[in-house]
Amino acid sequence: MEGMSRALLDALPAHTAVLDHTGGVLAVNRAWVRFADEHPDDPWRPPVGADYLAACEEAARAGSVQAPLVADGVRAVLTGRTRAFHLDFAETIADDELWFSFRVSPLDTDGNGGALVSYTDITSRKRAETQLAHQALHDPLTGLPNRTLFLDRLSLSLARLDRRSTTVAVLFLDLDRFKIVNDSMGHEVGDQLITAMAGRLRGVLRPGDTAARFGGDEFTVLCEEIAEPQDAIAIADRIIAAVAKPFQMEDAEAYLSSSVGIALATSSADQPEALVRDADAAMYQAKQRGKARWVLFDDEMRAGAVARLEIENALHRALERNEFTVHYQRIVEPLSGRVVGAEALARWQNESLGSMAPDVWLPLAEEIGLIVPIGAWVLAEACRQLATWRAEGVADDSFYMAVNLSARQLAQPDLDGMVRRTLDAARLSGRDLCLEVTEGALLVDVEHAGGRLQELRDFGVRVALDDFGTGYSSLAHLRHFPIDFLKIDHTFVHDLDREGAPAAVVSAVVELAHALGLRAVAEGVETDLQRKLVEAMGCDAAQGSAYGSPTPAESFWSGNPAL
């Protein structure tokens, strides 16, 4: 029977010892002996005949903060004060941190017959838990804290403000032109840039500051102990200067800049998410003002942010509440005065906000992704209206509908399918539709955009390059993209009333379009003189208030020349 007990004891994987009622070591298993042999300086595994409680005291003298807790647990079980004791703790042994699950169980029911002590090595489990916790709170690419950890640290910083007469600053920064560099040089290089950016942030921040990757090419910085706004501005200046230095990649150099928004908090009443939102709004203003600069959030910006949030919330419900309408602007053949097409323009009327100007809500709808369903609705409504005009006999088969296409819409994988289905539902062909895209939308992803436009061209849809002359590298793009119409931006047409260069520019663009086999369309023709000039310059089509302002469908044909 004793041999069987010995075999069972040795079969246990945990380091196990049998203690008598005084704490003396009666027996130990092989795992216990093996650990003691491998770690001779460790006092936790005394041999048979030793006093286990004395070994705990020796461990406490050696600096173990857990030893007194272990000794108290053993005494409690040996005296019957508790039925069992359990404690997970870490010990540094030979410069290595090891974790153990320590358990004490009585050998009989009255608590006077000794106890069984066991140590289970849980180091691997604890390290895995630590790694998982780190992964949950840190960005895997840069190793920086992620959004969750940043907001948690920000919450703690704000809570401490009531005990300190200092300020907390949040900096929100974004890499200007990162998407263009990322798309042109490849995503692997993009990841290298993000990693290098994290290193540069660490290099310019103060020891107590926290840098985090918020997502994509967006980073946040938490700065405590800010005495005055200038302290936060100085940190922003260092970040901007660090980013401006060239990034050396394997085969090339990359040049970036950073726009930084700064928000300050002086009270624990400030909310972490609101502070980050304010810094983000300030960063957006920095981009609007020319990029590569910082902007400090202020009360005026706060009012703008509140108004923006109100517009955003209203936009989310606008479609289901039928708040959108479509107005149509005539596209006219200058020499004959014949109306050859119409441009569909979305209009939004909200009950509480009133009539919203397109330049206020359209960029926001684009930013938050709502432009995709709104754009699809406008396309469907415009096609339905064209079909109605055809059925009424006021529009002939050559009359076409022009609809604007945003960058987000252009990026949709099923764009051609959506357009096909919309045309089929209205019983129209591809030639009945012209989709207008700006050069800025095309530049988001040149190769992808070219492919999407070609898919549309393949079933007859025509494409117009809108606002020509306001972008850059325009001539190269004219050759790269499948384009039918070149729309001359209204800023050039507006200056035609003045003598000098504007007329020469418009004339040159018309000649360029014709040389490339494209049709030139003048936008923003407002005066009689401008109308006569675009006619004389040979523009194939024109639109603007001189021919008629955007109007609801029911008044589109009123007072127009016959087809």
Side-chain angles (χ1 to χ4, degrees), residues 22 32 46 59 71 102 155 160 182 190 213 235 247 250 291 307 309 322 345 404 459 495 499 527 552-553:
T22 66
W32 182 285
F102 175 74
S155 297
R160 290 192 288 264
N182 190 45
R213 186 185 180 198
I235 296 170
F247 289 82
E250 291 182 1
K291 305 178 181 178
L309 183 61
N322 297 315
L345 300 166
N404 291 285
F459 61 93
D495 290 337
E499 296 182 359
T527 68

Side-chain angles (χ1 to χ4, degrees), residues 363-377:
L364 180 57
E366 171 82 6
E367 182 181 338
I368 62 179
L370 288 177
I371 197 66
V372 174
I374 293 173
W377 179 86

Side-chain angles (χ1 to χ4, degrees), residues 500-539:
V505 171
V506 173
S507 181
V509 172
V510 173
E511 291 181 13
L512 173 65
H514 291 164
L516 294 173
L518 309 177
R519 295 175 63 82
V521 182
E523 294 185 286
V525 180
E526 299 176 352
T527 68
D528 189 55
L529 177 58
Q530 292 169 5
R531 181 179 60 80
K532 292 177 179 178
L533 286 172
V534 298
E535 291 175 9
M537 290 176 183
C539 285

Side-chain angles (χ1 to χ4, degrees), residues 82-162:
T82 183
R83 290 293 303 155
F85 178 76
H86 173 228
L87 177 68
D88 289 348
F89 66 91
E91 285 292 326
T92 301
I93 302 174
D95 296 327
D96 191 16
E97 184 183 66
L98 301 178
W99 277 87
F100 297 97
S101 181
F102 175 74
R103 295 181 182 275
V104 187
S105 304
L107 289 177
D108 60 18
T109 57
D110 58 15
N112 295 314
L116 200 66
V117 171
S118 68
Y119 293 81
T120 302
D121 190 337
I122 58 172
T123 304
S124 297
R125 190 189 82 197
K126 284 293 185 179
R127 288 175 178 171
E129 290 174 354
T130 300
Q131 183 178 7
L132 287 174
H134 184 275
Q135 291 174 349
L137 296 173
H138 291 79
D139 172 54
L141 180 62
T142 63
L144 292 176
N146 61 13
R147 178 192 300 255
T148 301
L149 181 55
F150 181 85
L151 290 173
D152 182 64
R153 291 185 180 178
L154 178 55
S155 297
L156 295 174
S157 298
L158 293 174
R160 290 192 288 264
L161 280 177
D162 288 344

Side-chain angles (χ1 to χ4, degrees), residues 245-419:
K245 297 176 182 178
F247 289 82
Q248 188 64 50
M249 300 295 104
E250 291 182 1
D251 300 321
E253 286 184 333
Y255 291 86
L256 297 173
S257 60
S258 180
S259 298
V260 183
I262 307 170
L264 304 176
T266 57
S267 167
S268 61
D270 291 305
Q271 296 299 310
E273 292 82 0
L275 197 59
V276 171
R277 186 176 64 243
D278 291 347
D280 186 14
M283 183 274 292
Y284 182 77
Q285 285 295 316
K287 283 188 173 294
Q288 293 291 95
R289 297 178 188 180
K291 305 178 181 178
R293 66 190 64 208
W294 55 263
V295 167
L296 183 64
F297 190 83
D298 56 23
D299 290 338
E300 182 179 348
M301 211 174 296
R302 187 184 306 279
V306 171
R308 170 189 165 93
L309 183 61
E310 186 179 7
I311 294 172
E312 181 179 329
N313 291 337
L315 270 175
H316 280 282
R317 305 294 298 275
L319 268 179
E320 64 182 73
R321 291 175 174 172
N322 297 315
E323 293 178 349
F324 290 110
T325 57
V326 179
H327 285 196
Y328 301 89
Q329 184 169 42
R330 304 164 195 156
I331 302 174
V332 177
E333 191 176 72
L335 290 177
S336 67
R338 190 169 68 98
V339 180
V340 296
E343 180 177 357
L345 300 166
R347 295 293 184 263
W348 179 31
Q349 177 79 29
N350 179 265
E351 183 177 352
S352 59
L353 298 175
S355 180
M356 299 294 298
D359 60 353
V360 172
W361 64 267
L362 274 174
L364 180 57
E366 171 82 6
E367 182 181 338
I368 62 179
L370 288 177
I371 197 66
V372 174
I374 293 173
W377 179 86
V378 171
L379 177 64
E381 182 66 16
C383 289
R384 184 198 63 78
Q385 187 59 60
L386 176 55
T388 298
W389 284 338
R390 290 266 179 86
E392 293 172 349
V394 293
D396 66 9
D397 291 341
S398 67
F399 185 95
Y400 68 91
M401 183 65 69
V403 179
N404 291 285
L405 195 66
S406 74
R408 279 189 181 267
Q409 289 175 282
L410 193 57
Q412 294 302 300
D414 188 39
L415 175 63
D416 62 322
M418 185 273 290
V419 173

